[in-house]
Every structure is written in structure tokens, then in C-alpha cells.
Amino acid sequence: MQDRKDPPHDRSGLRGDCARCFGLCCVALPFAASADFALDKPAGKPCPNLRDDHRCGIHTRLRQRGFTGCTVYDCFGAGQKVSQVVFGGRDWRTGSAEDARRMFEVFPVVRQLHELLWYVTEALSLSAARPVHDELRRALERTEHLTLLPPGELAALDVGAHRQEVNVLLLRTSELARAGVRRGKGRPKDRRGADLAGARLKGADLRGAGLRGACLIAADLTGADLRDADLIGADLRNANLADADLTGAIFLTQPQVDAARGSAGTRLPGSVSRPAHWTARS
């Protein structure tokens, strides 16, 4: 298992705070009727469940009402950043139509930047990644600076290009963090982008595995050893993590965990919380 140190950057601002947001995810983002959403909603149109006070009218019953997708979404703090900082507390309901349009346009951009901030902060917590810490700190500062640009500049930002630049550092971080992990007599598996939907991986030894962008939808990972695995971008929707060990898993986010199934025996890294619905479903 990789040696870690305390995170050098406060991540409290990288978690959604709905009390300081104007319900942006419920308006700006589109969704389609599916297993995750009970109805269609275009971008820029408020969800019918959104109340006038920007709170969800069915928040405690989202899963029962067919809105599982809402329960696994996290803006990484972009909602309050756009609401309170970029737009200075101006409510889209009472402000100008142009402000509302810009706010909805900017929110997904800042959400991507805040997700990057989460990953870079995670990278800086890894002692094994010290060779790239200076570059990571510069990337953190640059990304934070971008989140504070004026609305017009944010809307025009090539966030994809910035993500590619930062991803080079995240890839290097993953390599350094997993370099000392050994599985039996071999090196960790590289299953980057692999289609493992529904895979039977019960009890699998996946220590230090590269699972970046892997599709693990409904995979059976019961009792699997995922210590120090790279899970950035892995799709864990409905994956069974009962009794699995994800201690030290890198780049694992709360939305990924919330989308999976788990048990009291599932071991998680300290950067994420055990979902409340696991007890009911496992």
C-alpha cells in the first residue's frame, strides 16, 4: 500500500453545498427519461421537482420516484462557486435573462474544473507522487484561477484542452503511486478503458490495477481487492462492492461510490463517505 500524507489543500470547497447554490444542476443540465431519470428535461429548463426556494421537492424520495441519477450527482462545489462567486449571489430567477443564460452556460464548465481540482488535490496527497508535486501545485493554481474568470471568458474556455494538460500529470501520478504495488509475482493489471460491464470479478486481485475509464456497470466485485487501484473515470453504476477493499484507491469520487452497491464490510478510502442507501440495498 502506498505511503500517503495529509492533503495539503482543503477539499471542503470541492463538495456540493446546495444551501449556497441556486439549484443550478436542476436547471442547467439536461437529462433523458431512463433508468436514472423518470422524465426528459432539456438544458436550461427547471426540473418540475425544483421548488421556488431552489430545493428539491422530492429530495428524500428521489430513488423511489425514479431519479436515481440525481442521488449520485455531485458538482464538486461548482454550484456554490458559480452562484456566489462568479455571479456574486445573483439569483437566476430574479436576475436578467442574459445572466441566467450565462449562468447555465458557465456551470458545466466550472463543474469540470472543480472535478480537476479534486483529482489534483488527491494527487498532492500521495507521497509517491512527490516528483511531480511542484507541477501539480502549479496545475492546481492555474485551474483555480480559471474558475474565477468572468462569465464570458469561462463560457469561451477550451476546458477540454486544459483537462488534457492536467491529465498528463494525473497519469504520471497514477504510475508513481502504483509502481510499488505487486500482485503475486506480477505487476498490476492495466485495464484502462476496458469493457467489464457485468464481469464476474468476485474476490479478484486487482491491487494497484489501472482501471481508468473502465466500464464496470453491474460488475460483481464482491470481496475484490482494489487497494491502490486507479479508478479515475471508472463507471461503477450498480457494481457490487460488497466486502470489497478499496483502501487507498486513487481518484475515487463520491459520485462513483454513490452509484455502486456496497455493504458494511466494504472498505473505502477516507476521501469518500459510505452511502446511506447501501444499508438498505445490501
Side-chain angles (χ1 to χ4, degrees), residues 94-139:
T94 57
S96 69
E98 176 61 18
D99 271 354
R101 184 185 68 80
R102 277 294 194 197
M103 191 176 288
F104 303 153
E105 190 175 34
V106 160
F107 172 68
V109 174
V110 178
R111 197 270 183 188
Q112 290 189 64
L113 293 173
H114 267 233
E115 184 178 11
L116 279 179
L117 288 174
W118 178 276
Y119 291 141
V120 175
T121 303
E122 170 81 359
L124 282 166
S125 76
L126 300 171
S127 297
R130 282 183 182 136
V132 291
H133 273 189
D134 286 344
E135 293 175 85
L136 286 166
R137 290 189 187 96
R138 287 193 289 272

Side-chain angles (χ1 to χ4, degrees), residues 4 122 245-250 252 257 267-274:
R4 290 173 178 249
E122 170 81 359
D245 190 349
L246 290 90
T247 306
I250 59 176
L252 180 68
V257 174
R267 300 182 65 186
L268 297 168
S271 57
V272 296
S273 303
R274 187 176 304 277

Side-chain angles (χ1 to χ4, degrees), residues 235-251:
D235 193 339
L236 295 173
R237 282 178 294 169
N238 207 36
N240 190 349
L241 297 176
D243 299 326
D245 190 349
L246 290 90
T247 306
I250 59 176
F251 302 133

Side-chain angles (χ1 to χ4, degrees), residues 183-206:
R183 297 174 54 260
K185 297 181 180 179
R187 294 179 62 82
K189 290 183 178 180
D190 184 1
R191 304 303 300 274
R192 181 179 180 183
D195 183 359
L196 298 171
R200 297 178 181 177
L201 297 168
K202 184 175 182 178
D205 182 358
L206 295 167

Side-chain angles (χ1 to χ4, degrees), residues 18 32 81 123:
C18 297
K81 173 68 74 63

Side-chain angles (χ1 to χ4, degrees), residues 14-266:
L14 300 179
R15 300 179 188 274
D17 183 353
C18 297
R20 300 181 60 229
C21 178
F22 298 133
L24 294 183
C25 64
C26 305
V27 187
L29 305 179
F31 49 74
S34 63
D36 294 320
F37 297 101
L39 48 81
D40 293 320
K41 188 194 81 64
K45 180 179 179 180
C47 173
N49 298 309
L50 184 66
R51 304 186 316 205
D52 290 342
D53 63 356
H54 303 297
R55 297 294 177 267
C56 176
I58 60 169
H59 180 71
T60 60
R61 307 185 305 281
L62 283 167
R63 289 180 178 273
Q64 296 90 321
R65 297 287 292 273
F67 289 88
T68 301
C70 297
T71 68
V72 303
Y73 179 80
D74 191 335
C75 71
F76 294 97
Q80 62 260 30
K81 173 68 74 63
V82 173
S83 297
Q84 304 299 331
V85 180
V86 179
F87 284 87
R90 298 196 298 277
D91 188 336
W92 59 268
R93 287 188 188 274
T94 57
S96 69
E98 176 61 18
D99 271 354
R101 184 185 68 80
R102 277 294 194 197
M103 191 176 288
F104 303 153
E105 190 175 34
V106 160
F107 172 68
V109 174
V110 178
R111 197 270 183 188
Q112 290 189 64
L113 293 173
H114 267 233
E115 184 178 11
L116 279 179
L117 288 174
W118 178 276
Y119 291 141
V120 175
T121 303
E122 170 81 359
L124 282 166
S125 76
L126 300 171
S127 297
R130 282 183 182 136
V132 291
H133 273 189
D134 286 344
E135 293 175 85
L136 286 166
R137 290 189 187 96
R138 287 193 289 272
L140 190 75
E141 292 173 2
R142 169 62 174 159
T143 306
E144 178 62 30
H145 170 74
L146 291 176
T147 70
L148 300 173
L149 290 174
E153 293 182 43
L154 272 169
L157 180 67
D158 187 348
V159 69
H162 182 66
R163 288 181 69 99
Q164 289 179 5
E165 291 177 12
V166 176
N167 190 51
V168 172
L169 291 174
L170 298 180
L171 279 167
R172 181 59 179 149
T173 294
S174 176
E175 292 167 356
L176 290 168
R178 297 182 297 114
V181 181
R182 293 291 183 271
R183 297 174 54 260
K185 297 181 180 179
R187 294 179 62 82
K189 290 183 178 180
D190 184 1
R191 304 303 300 274
R192 181 179 180 183
D195 183 359
L196 298 171
R200 297 178 181 177
L201 297 168
K202 184 175 182 178
D205 182 358
L206 295 167
R207 283 173 292 168
L211 292 166
R212 297 171 63 90
C215 177
L216 288 158
I217 296 175
D220 182 5
L221 290 160
T222 304
D225 190 345
L226 288 154
R227 286 176 293 172
D228 299 304
D230 181 354
L231 291 165
I232 192 168
D235 193 339
L236 295 173
R237 282 178 294 169
N238 207 36
N240 190 349
L241 297 176
D243 299 326
D245 190 349
L246 290 90
T247 306
I250 59 176
F251 302 133
L252 180 68
T253 65
Q254 193 65 49
Q256 288 174 298
V257 174
D258 289 343
R261 293 180 289 139
S263 68
T266 304

